[in-house]
Each structure stands twice: as structure tokens, then as C-alpha cells.
């Protein structure tokens, strides 16, 4: 008898007194964690298949279901924790790389939680956002060193800018990694809220061209779905060099996710794997990057700002300096906790640095070199709430991307199994039986509501600081204080300790 060393992660707790064996959970679970015994006419659970996505719990009409962590105790060992023991069991069974979805969930310091925001008191009166105007509008793109006027008007045109009503955008998530309904939800919400969403590396579905003014189109190493029409469709172009969840490696969309729509959008054969190589095979230096930046500007007649996205790594500041000098208009920094549909577990959890430290280092380097005005900074990877946005802007960001938070607004329950393609909420899947569970109209309303709520909170915090425009907060680290941080952390972040 072959012994299975792996126990289930979760336990399905079914209240037999409440359960009517209606089989809704059977139909709702794509992982086959709930099964029907036709002989006994009862529903039973297969704990081994449960991923704790909460779909069955949410749809059970009698509230008969609970999902709990499987109650298996290992002997206490500070070094050989259950996480590593289970990981070894899995790899001994499969011989393969461990995959994970979403961002790093290891207990590294979350610096947002160690930064506190200032507030006005007697000498600098606060502002009531309900009675006085508060300006959240943000412009992304290269700014001139000075403005020249003639007869009261600008003498020369400004470089192209992305105009945002709020400093929050939806991060890059490709069609293929997420469903068309999810993409449509984000596009509709971005249009309603006067901001942008990002196509990711999967091209732009034909139904989304109508949202071009709110679309940032991405150029990644696989160059999927890229042609002149695509490049000119969006309001900006983003070159993806790396992402926070898996710095230094490429992407892989399995062939089973490449149906007809994904095939046509990515311009690859139906059913084929979509593999993005780790590097761009035409970029091996800053000079090569400069050539691509200006090729894209030429292709769009210099009407679109070009962004370059990199993962937050140890030498991000030096890299960002080179990117700014190469002609990029926007730099996107994606931190250690940035989400993804699939990444090698060890890479996701061990490579890169937190976005807070990378942002502070990059902003300071660009200021020291007197080129901060030549580029806008957008940060991503671990933005969870409106106060994170405020803190990021005070550290030097112009705007923030949100990905995981946006998906949670659409209904994601963070089971971190995106790579299986069996998302029971219709988000990270191409299965038509599952994708229809996400109504784009409802999804757009929820995503827009999230941005609306955060915007109101940002205005409240700005007013509390006595600031009536976001521009006055940008890079203003005097509005932050650190708590429970080392001297070195404070020095890198460029903030004083609480009480100073």
C-alpha cells in the first residue's frame, strides 16, 4: 500500500442538521471538493480537493458549510516548520517546481504599517473636504524643466501626459490570466472613475478598444498581440521588464487557457502555450532599452508617454536612473508582494525587496541627480488601502497601481490557486461555465465603489494634514513618522522616528 504523506490543507465542516443535500455546492465547486453519492442520495466532501475559496460557503442556502484548517499538528520545530515539511512532501511526490498564485505571503515587515501620517492641529488648520475643494488630479509623464509663455499662452507643447482624476490605477493583468469579464469590469470602472487599467502582456480584446482613453497597453518580452493598432489604442505604453512576484523570470500561460478569444487577442495558435522569455531578446543594455522606447514613440507619433516597469530589486535606484536617462516618461516599480497568476513559490517568496524601500531609494536617487521631473513614478505590489496610497505618495510616488485589491473587490477570496484555471469566482479562469459567474456590470460597480471610497478617505487624510492638493504631499516625507523601525530603515525611507 502506497502511503500519501500529504494531508488535506482544509477540512470541510458540513452541518448535517442544516444541509438539505440540494447539490448547489456540488455544482459550484470546480475543484470537486463536494461530490454527490447517487446511491445514498447525499452530498459529501473531498477535503483533499478543497482550496478554501469560500464559494460553497457563500452560495449554500442554509449556511451549512464551514471551511477550517485541517487539524494536523507537527512536532514543534522552529527550523523545520510545517510549511517546509509539506513542501518537501509535495516535491518528493511530483519532482516539479512548486507554484503559487498572488503575492508573497511570508511574514516579512510591512513597512506601510510602521509609518504614521501627520495631522494638523493649532498652528496649521486642517481642511474640511466636504466644504472646500480637494485636488486629486494627477498627470503622469515627463515634465519640462521650465515653462515658457507667449501672449499668456504656452509657447510650446508639453510632453504627452496621462491625466488621472485619482492617483490609483488598475495594475497589469492579462486576458488569459484573468477572464474577459474581469478585464471588462476593470475597464468600465476605470472609465467611470477617470483613471486607467492595464492590459498586461496579453494584448487587447476587440471589445475593449472602446475604453482606449483609459487603457495602458503593455509590451512584454513575448510581444503578444502587438501591432500598430494596439500601440495606438491606449493612452500610454508600458514596457514590462520585470514584475514583483517573479523578478528575473518570464511568464507562462498554459495552452488549456488559450481558447479562441485568447488566441486571437494574443495572435498565437489556439491551444498553444504562451511563453514569455525572461529577458527581452532585443534588450541587453540601457542603450537597447532606449532604442525600444523611441521605436514605440515613433510608432505612435510621439503622442503617448512610454513607461518602463521593473521589479523592486537591490539596485532599483541605479536602474531607474538609467531608465529615466533612456527617455522613459514613467517608471513603474513593482514590489516583493506584487500579485501574479502563477509564479515559482521560492522565487515569489525570496526574490526582490519591499516596495516601500525601493520607492524611497529610487525617488531620492532621482532627486539627487536632478532628474526627478523628467519621469513620473508609479508603484505597485502590496497597496491594500487608501492610507497605503497616501504613504506611497508622501514617499515620492506620483500614483499607485492596485491589482490584488481590485480582484478582491470583484470577489476574489485569495485562495491563491489562480494557476489552476479553476477560479470559482469567474476571475482567474477561461472556463465559460465559471467566467459567467462574474457579471461585468456588477464587477465594474464594485471596483468603482472601491476607488470612490478610497478617494474620499484620501481627501479626509489630506484635509487632516492641512493639504488641499495631492501635489503638495508628493515626496513630502516630513508628513510621515516611523514607528518600531531601525535607524537604517528610517535612513533608507528618509523619514524621522515618531516623536522627532
Amino acid at each position: 500500500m502506497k502511503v500519501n504523506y500529504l494531508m488535506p490543507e482544509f477540512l470541510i465542516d458540513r452541518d448535517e442538521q442544516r444541509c438539505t443535500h440540494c447539490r448547489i455546492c456540488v455544482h459550484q465547486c470546480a475543484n470537486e471538493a463536494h461530490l454527490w453519492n447517487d446511491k445514498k442520495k447525499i452530498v459529501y466532501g473531498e477535503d483533499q480537493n478543497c482550496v478554501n475559496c469560500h464559494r460553497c460557503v457563500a452560495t449554500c442556502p442554509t449556511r451549512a458549510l464551514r471551511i477550517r484548517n485541517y487539524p494536523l499538528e507537527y512536532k514543534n520545530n522552529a527550523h523545520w516548520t510545517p510549511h517546509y515539511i509539506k513542501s518537501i512532501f509535495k516535491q518528493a511526490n511530483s519532482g516539479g517546481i512548486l507554484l503559487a498564485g498572488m503575492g508573497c505571503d511570508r511574514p516579512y515587515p510591512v513597512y506601510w504599517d510602521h509609518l504614521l501620517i501627520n495631522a494638523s492641529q493649532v498652528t496649521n488648520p486642517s481642511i474640511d473636504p466636504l466644504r472646500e475643494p480637494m485636488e486629486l488630479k494627477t498627470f503622469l509623464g515627463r515634465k519640462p524643466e521650465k515653462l515658457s509663455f507667449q501672449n499668456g499662452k504656452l509657447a510650446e507643447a508639453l510632453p504627452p501626459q496621462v491625466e488621472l482624476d485619482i492617483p490609483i490605477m488598475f495594475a497589469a493583468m492579462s486576458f488569459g490570466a484573468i477572464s474577459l469579464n474581469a478585464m471588462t469590469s476593470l475597464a468600465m470602472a476605470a472609465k467611470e472613475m477617470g483613471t486607467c487599467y492595464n492590459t498586461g502582456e496579453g494584448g487587447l480584446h476587440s471589445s475593449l478598444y472602446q475604453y482606449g482613453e483609459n487603457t495602458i497597453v503593455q509590451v512584454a518580452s513575448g510581444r503578444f498581440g502587438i501591432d500598430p493598432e494596439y500601440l495606438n489604442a491606449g493612452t500610454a505604453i508600458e514596457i514590462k521588464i520585470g514584475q514583483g512576484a517573479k523578478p528575473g523570470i518570464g511568464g507562462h500561460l498554459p495552452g488549456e487557457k488559450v481558447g479562441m478569444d485568447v488566441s486571437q487577442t494574443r495572435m498565437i495558435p489556439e491551444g498553444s502555450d504562451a511563453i514569455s522569455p525572461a529577458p527581452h531578446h532585443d534588450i541587453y543594455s540601457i542603450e537597447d532599452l532606449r532604442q525600444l522606447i523611441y521605436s514605440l514613440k515613433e510608432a505612435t507619433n510621439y503622442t503617448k508617454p512610454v513607461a518602463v516597469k521593473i521589479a523592486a530589486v537591490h539596485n532599483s535606484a541605479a536602474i531607474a536612473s538609467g531608465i529615466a536617462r533612456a527617455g522613459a516618461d514613467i517608471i513603474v516599480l513593482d514590489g516583493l508582494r506584487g500579485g501574479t497568476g502563477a509564479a515559482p513559490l521560492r522565487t515569489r517568496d525570496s526574490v526582490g525587496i519591499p516596495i516601500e524601500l525601493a520607492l524611497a531609494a529610487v525617488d531620492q536617487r532621482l532627486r539627487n541627480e536632478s532628474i526627478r521631473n523628467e519621469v513620473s513614478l508609479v508603484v505597485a505590489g502590496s497597496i491594500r488601502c487608501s492610507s497605503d496610497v497616501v504613504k506611497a505618495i508622501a514617499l515620492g510616488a506620483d500614483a499607485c497601481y492596485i491589482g490584488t485589491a481590485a480582484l478582491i473587490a470583484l470577489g476574489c477570496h485569495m485562495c491563491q490557486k489562480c494557476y489552476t484555471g479553476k477560479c470559482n469566482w469567474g476571475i482567474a479562469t477561461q472556463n465559460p461555465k465559471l467566467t459567467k459567474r462574474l457579471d461585468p456590470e456588477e464587477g465594474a460597480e464594485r471596483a468603482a465603489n472601491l476607488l470612490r471610497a478610497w478617494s474620499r478617505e484620501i481627501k479626509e487624510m489630506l484635509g487632516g494634514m492641512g493639504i488641499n492638493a495631492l501635489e503638495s504631499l508628493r515626496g513630502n516625507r516630513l508628513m510621515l513618522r516611523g514607528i518600531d523601525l531601525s535607524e537604517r530603515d528610517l535612513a533608507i525611507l528618509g523619514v524621522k522616528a515618531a516623536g522627532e
Side-chain angles (χ1 to χ4, degrees):
M1 172 181 162
K2 188 175 181 179
V3 177
N4 184 2
Y5 295 95
L6 275 172
M7 294 297 106
E9 284 188 76
F10 305 104
L11 183 67
I12 302 170
D13 191 352
R14 192 183 311 275
D15 187 337
E16 294 298 341
Q17 292 184 327
R18 289 189 173 192
C19 182
T20 61
H21 301 282
C22 64
R23 288 189 272 183
I24 288 177
C25 57
V26 176
H27 297 306
Q28 290 291 321
C29 184
N31 299 292
E32 298 183 340
H34 301 276
L35 302 171
W36 173 250
N37 187 317
D38 198 46
K39 185 176 181 180
K40 295 182 178 180
K41 305 298 181 186
I42 61 168
V43 175
Y44 66 98
E46 191 65 60
D47 296 334
Q48 194 78 37
N49 296 337
C50 180
V51 299
N52 197 16
C53 73
H54 301 164
R55 181 75 186 186
C56 60
V57 176
T59 57
C60 178
T62 61
R63 293 291 185 259
L65 294 169
R66 301 287 185 276
I67 308 298
R68 297 186 286 116
N69 287 328
Y70 196 82
L72 179 65
E73 298 290 334
Y74 288 84
K75 182 177 174 61
N76 288 336
N77 189 314
H79 187 67
W80 291 102
T81 62
H83 167 80
Y84 291 106
I85 295 171
K86 292 175 185 177
S87 295
I88 289 172
F89 285 158
K90 287 179 183 177
Q91 291 188 295
N93 279 350
S94 69
I97 293 172
L98 296 173
L99 292 178
M102 290 301 181
C104 171
D105 56 11
R106 306 302 292 161
Y108 301 132
V110 180
Y111 288 93
W112 302 130
D113 296 338
H114 294 272
L115 293 172
L116 301 176
I117 300 168
N118 190 30
S120 299
Q121 293 301 290
V122 177
T123 57
N124 181 27
S126 58
I127 299 170
D128 186 349
L130 295 177
R131 292 175 173 83
E132 299 184 47
M134 307 290 286
E135 185 59 76
L136 299 187
K137 191 176 285 292
T138 301
F139 293 89
L140 302 180
R142 183 177 294 264
K143 309 299 189 296
E145 288 189 12
K146 62 180 180 179
L147 297 176
S148 54
F149 295 87
Q150 188 173 359
N151 299 325
K153 296 181 180 180
L154 282 173
E156 54 189 31
L158 291 174
Q161 305 286 315
V162 177
E163 182 177 345
L164 305 174
D165 288 344
I166 56 176
I168 309 165
M169 301 182 288
F170 295 125
M173 292 175 278
S174 66
F175 175 43
I178 62 174
S179 66
L180 179 58
N181 285 358
M183 294 286 291
T184 305
S185 298
L186 299 179
M188 293 170 65
K191 181 177 181 180
E192 180 179 345
M193 295 303 296
T195 186
C196 291
Y197 79 102
N198 191 308
T199 64
E201 62 178 301
L204 185 62
H205 190 271
S206 57
S207 67
L208 298 177
Y209 273 78
Q210 61 182 305
Y211 303 105
E213 291 183 0
N214 303 95
T215 303
I216 294 176
V217 297
Q218 192 177 83
V219 175
S221 60
R223 308 287 162 91
F224 298 120
I226 296 174
D227 61 13
E229 183 184 13
Y230 170 78
L231 294 175
N232 283 283
T235 191
I237 302 170
E238 180 180 285
I239 301 170
K240 175 196 168 189
I241 300 296
Q243 68 182 95
K246 43 186 176 182
I249 65 175
H252 180 194
L253 185 70
E256 54 264 29
K257 283 190 173 184
V258 184
M260 182 180 68
D261 272 357
V262 174
S263 165
Q264 291 176 350
T265 302
R266 293 197 175 216
M267 301 179 189
I268 59 175
E270 191 172 341
S272 63
D273 288 11
I275 298 175
S276 300
H280 289 250
H281 287 310
D282 54 357
I283 299 177
Y284 292 93
S285 66
I286 289 295
E287 290 75 19
D288 291 342
L289 176 60
R290 179 181 177 85
Q291 185 170 343
L292 178 58
I293 289 170
Y294 278 93
S295 293
L296 295 173
K297 290 186 176 187
E298 285 281 350
T300 54
N301 200 26
Y302 291 84
T303 59
K304 318 280 184 186
V306 175
V308 176
K309 177 182 178 180
I310 60 171
V313 292
H314 304 165
N315 60 337
S316 291
I319 296 168
S321 173
I323 292 171
R325 297 175 190 282
D329 304 294
I330 303 165
I331 297 173
V332 180
L333 290 169
D334 195 14
L336 173 71
R337 291 186 175 86
T340 182
L345 177 66
R346 298 304 169 215
T347 299
R348 188 199 71 171
D349 291 351
S350 306
V351 182
I353 64 174
I355 189 60
E356 304 94 324
L357 301 177
L359 166 60
V362 168
D363 178 69
Q364 194 58 52
R365 173 74 176 252
L366 297 180
R367 289 175 185 276
N368 291 345
E369 296 181 0
S370 300
I371 56 173
R372 180 63 182 85
N373 67 298
E374 295 182 13
V375 69
S376 293
L377 283 180
V378 177
V379 296
S382 85
I383 304 296
R384 306 159 300 173
C385 61
S386 57
S387 61
D388 288 352
V389 175
V390 169
K391 293 169 187 178
I393 291 170
L395 283 177
D398 291 275
C400 298
Y401 268 134
I402 61 170
T404 302
L407 296 188
I408 292 173
L410 299 185
C412 168
H413 279 58
M414 290 289 286
C415 71
Q416 298 180 294
K417 294 293 189 291
C418 318
Y419 56 90
T420 66
K422 296 179 180 180
C423 176
N424 284 315
W425 296 95
I427 300 170
T429 180
Q430 299 304 315
N431 184 333
K433 292 181 180 179
L434 300 176
T435 57
K436 66 182 181 182
R437 295 178 180 178
L438 177 59
D439 182 332
E441 296 280 349
E442 182 181 341
E445 181 183 0
R446 293 180 62 83
N449 278 343
L450 178 70
L451 295 185
R452 191 174 291 111
W454 285 18
S455 297
R456 289 170 177 165
E457 291 174 338
I458 291 170
K459 288 180 180 180
E460 289 285 349
M461 284 181 273
L462 285 178
M465 287 184 271
I467 294 174
N468 63 4
L470 202 67
E471 188 68 31
S472 299
L473 178 65
R474 187 166 298 114
N476 187 353
R477 303 185 197 186
L478 289 174
M479 288 297 173
L480 298 176
R481 289 294 185 271
I483 188 167
D484 197 24
L485 291 173
S486 70
E487 289 294 328
R488 189 62 187 148
D489 288 334
L490 292 169
I492 294 171
L493 292 167
V495 301
K496 295 181 179 180
E500 285 191 84

